[in-house]
Amino acid sequence: MKNISASKVRWGGALLIAAGLLFLISEAVAAAAWTEPVYRYSYNFISDLGVSGQVIVDGRLVNSPLPQVMNSAMILHGILMVIGVVCLKNSVPRRQRTVALTAAVIHAIGMAMVGSFHGLDYATLNPHILGALLAVLAGDFLAVYTGRFLRKRQTAPGLSAASLLIGSAGFLSVLVLLFFPSEYGAILERFAVYTILGWELVVGVWLIRHSRSFGNFNAADDGAPIQPTSC
């Protein structure tokens, strides 16, 4: 049996919060730099912020003055998530630890692909689109998986419910975006991504507030229930 220290729990929580805030702040900075045209959250996709030069993408005039800000934030976001999950890895049994780390790494790889390849073509499965799918699906999966794990362990019912709700909403947004394309594509894309960011912030704050009780989680491989902890 291994117990994770409270300081590692706080670090894990802080890194998840930093990942979410980094993305949101960088997005706001990159969007605010647009002048011709003005960036609209309900019309422009997040990936528009990372495109260099003035081009037409799916009928939209894209002209991002600070593409490096958004692209760097995407890559760093994935790295911070992985490090945060690594800090928390000894709080769960080996099998769940492997699944969580794998999901975080896939998310980071996807984010790196999105930040490295411009979103110029949404009609084919190019590296940018593939990276976006990997990042969103893995990130929302991690939220759902966390919720299911906490529910099985009979602890933090509030956080468990929030994780399941957030991750499921993200998955639903992706499915609607893929199979029912519409004029609301940018909104659906944002919802699929923001669910991951919201989950990071919610879990990060919870971990910092409950670092001592979380640090006493039984990490034995038998997966036996532990005493309930209020959220």
Side-chain angles (χ1 to χ4, degrees), residues 98-154:
T98 300
V99 174
L101 281 172
T102 300
V105 169
I106 292 174
H107 173 80
I109 292 173
M111 294 298 284
M113 293 173 66
V114 172
S116 301
F117 300 96
H118 294 169
L120 299 174
D121 178 13
Y122 290 83
T124 61
L125 190 61
N126 52 65
H128 181 88
I129 298 299
L130 178 59
L133 287 173
L134 290 175
V136 172
L137 292 176
D140 284 319
F141 169 82
L142 184 56
V144 172
Y145 193 75
T146 299
R148 290 187 61 189
F149 170 76
L150 292 174
R151 185 174 62 180
K152 181 179 179 181
R153 303 282 280 192
Q154 301 175 19

Side-chain angles (χ1 to χ4, degrees), residues 20 24 166 193-204:
L24 291 171
I166 290 171
V193 174
Y194 285 0
T195 48
I196 300 171
L197 307 181
W199 175 79
E200 288 174 327
L201 297 176
V202 169
V203 172

